[in-house]
């Protein structure tokens, strides 16, 4: 990330109310401890990277957890929860954790779910909120999707804050990705302009894993697990046919983490294509020629492509989705057509099977690792909000739960570094060329 870091967390005011939780401030008494605002987690654990920093907020993130003193009186809290954007494994698990922590740990009795993302705040939609309590959310973590519904768009900040005032909400949990959290940041700024005491706390939901200062987003483990199943099927199909090929497309608009991790998890992928590493189709170093070499040498091949890879090879489009993201052309279908045409043109008998499991993955229930992660994210989000923290996300960083200013999280995308150990390991697992670019085009 370019520029200097500033990990200071905004607060609504001084915390004066004793927490209702029976935790301890004494180390060594065998009672679970509160966390205080002087506990930090280093941004980087690599030696030397923090040596020139003078202010702790430039190199360390505030640790998450329950505080001994809280800002909100639990009896006065009306908390709102909203899920935005595309589906992702674990959404219901996060909702469940937020509700259970608010209700059982803090005694909050007014919890409302906003329907269909920020659209649910728009008065013209006339969508009622959903009353939430432990009975309502008891088993929802065993289901995929979100009981609140989700949608893109509806990011009219003025109308959102108007609705928060009308609903008398003083706490909002935004579960969503980059676009959601950008909108939440604007909501936080509008709240401040109006002089309101409303905490806005985000939980990063991006199956692509592309939000900064997040080791991994919830749902990522499940996505890799499901993608591995699709790759296995493609590998079986490829090995069972003469010059067989399996082509699998997975999520990853601007970040190829799912493709990279799936490649390492299976060891069956021969070509891993991600947005961060451009490639050519034509030429001696291009994908098609390398694929031909692979078939002549080994008789089968598996190609795994992230949805945002190779966009420069397709016809440009200026269309955008309701939250302003550029619509991607379908690289999977494009590669399918190009590969079939190539082998037909060179009169080489070959077979291609194409698999796109994207929506099956998005709609899956979370696996145990993600379920555990969702439970902890939701609980820590509540602890932050009750302490009056706002304009922030709860995240896991360097194996600790931390508070990340929303501004820092959405400043730029988290992407696979082509010079990183992760991508080096992918290259070693696939044996694909380090560079698949035509020399003449360089």
């Amino acid at each position: 990330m370019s520029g200097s870091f500033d990990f200071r967390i905004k607060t609504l005011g001084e915390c004066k109310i004793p927490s209702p939780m029976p935790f301890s401030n004494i180390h060594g008494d065998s009672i679970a401890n509160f966390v205080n605002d002087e506990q930090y987690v280093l941004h980087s654990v690599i030696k030397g990277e923090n040596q020139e920093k003078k202010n702790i907020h430039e190199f360390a993130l505030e640790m998450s957890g329950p505080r001994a003193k809280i800002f909100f009186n639990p009896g006065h809290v009306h908390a709102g929860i909203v899920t935005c954007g595309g589906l992702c494994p674990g959404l219901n698990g996060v909702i469940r954790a937020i509700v259970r922590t608010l209700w059982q740990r803090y005694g909050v009795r007014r919890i409302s779910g906003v329907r269909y993302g920020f659209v649910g705040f728009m008065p013209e939609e006339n969508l009622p909120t959903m009353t939430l309590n432990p009975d309502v959310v008891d088993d929802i973590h065993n289901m995929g999707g979100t009981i609140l519904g989700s949608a893109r768009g509806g990011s009219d900040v003025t109308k959102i804050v108007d609705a928060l005032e009308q609903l008398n909400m003083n706490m909002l949990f935004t579960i969503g990705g980059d676009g959601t959290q950008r909108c939440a940041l604007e909501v936080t700024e509008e709240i401040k302009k109006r002089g309101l005491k409303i905490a806005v706390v985000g939980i990063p939901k991006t199956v692509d894993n592309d939000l900064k200062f997040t080791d991994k987003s919830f749902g990522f483990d499940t996505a890799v697990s499901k993608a591995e199943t699709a790759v296995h099927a493609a590998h079986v199909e490829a090995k069972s046919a003469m010059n067989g090929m399996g082509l699998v497309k997975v999520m990853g608009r601007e970040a190829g983490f799912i493709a990279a991790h799936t490649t390492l998890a299976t060891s069956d992928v021969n070509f891993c294509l991600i947005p961060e590493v451009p490639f050519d189709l034509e030429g001696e170093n291009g994908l098609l020629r390398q694929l031909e070499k692979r078939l002549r040498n080994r008789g089968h091949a598996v190609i795994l492509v992230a949805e945002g890879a190779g966009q420069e090879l397709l016809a440009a489009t200026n269309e955008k989705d309701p939250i302003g993201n550029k619509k991607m052309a379908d690289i999977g279908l494009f590669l399918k057509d190009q590969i079939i045409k190539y082998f037909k043109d060179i009169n080489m008998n070959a077979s291609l099977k194409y698999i796109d499991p994207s929506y099956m993955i998005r709609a899956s229930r979370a696996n145990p690792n993600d379920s555990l992660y969702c439970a902890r994210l939701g609980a820590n989000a509540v602890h932050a909000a009750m302490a009056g923290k706002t304009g922030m996300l709860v995240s896991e960083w360097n194996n600790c739960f931390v508070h990340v200013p929303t501004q820092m999280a959405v400043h730029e995308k988290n992407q696979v570094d082509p010079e990183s150990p992760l991508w080096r390991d992918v290259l070693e697992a696939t044996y694909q060329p380090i560079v698949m670019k035509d020399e003449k085009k360089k």
Side-chain angles (χ1 to χ4, degrees), residues 190 200 315 433:
E190 177 66 17
V200 180

Side-chain angles (χ1 to χ4, degrees), residues 180-196:
T180 300
Q181 305 308 340
R182 286 181 185 277
C183 181
L185 182 60
E186 292 178 12
V187 168
T188 304
E189 292 167 352
E190 177 66 17
I191 287 170
K192 183 178 180 181
K193 286 180 185 176
R194 299 189 190 189
L196 304 173

Side-chain angles (χ1 to χ4, degrees), residues 23-36 39 63:
F23 295 150
S24 170
N25 281 315
I26 302 171
H27 291 278
D29 62 359
S30 298
I31 298 175
N33 291 320
F34 287 111
V35 175
N36 64 62
Q39 290 177 264
M63 186 174 285

Side-chain angles (χ1 to χ4, degrees), residues 81-85 91 95 114 116-118 146 148-151 173 175-176:
I81 305 172
V82 63
T83 54
C84 306
L91 281 165
I95 295 169
V114 179
Y116 303 107
F118 290 129
T146 161
L148 301 179
S150 191
F173 298 94
I175 309 172

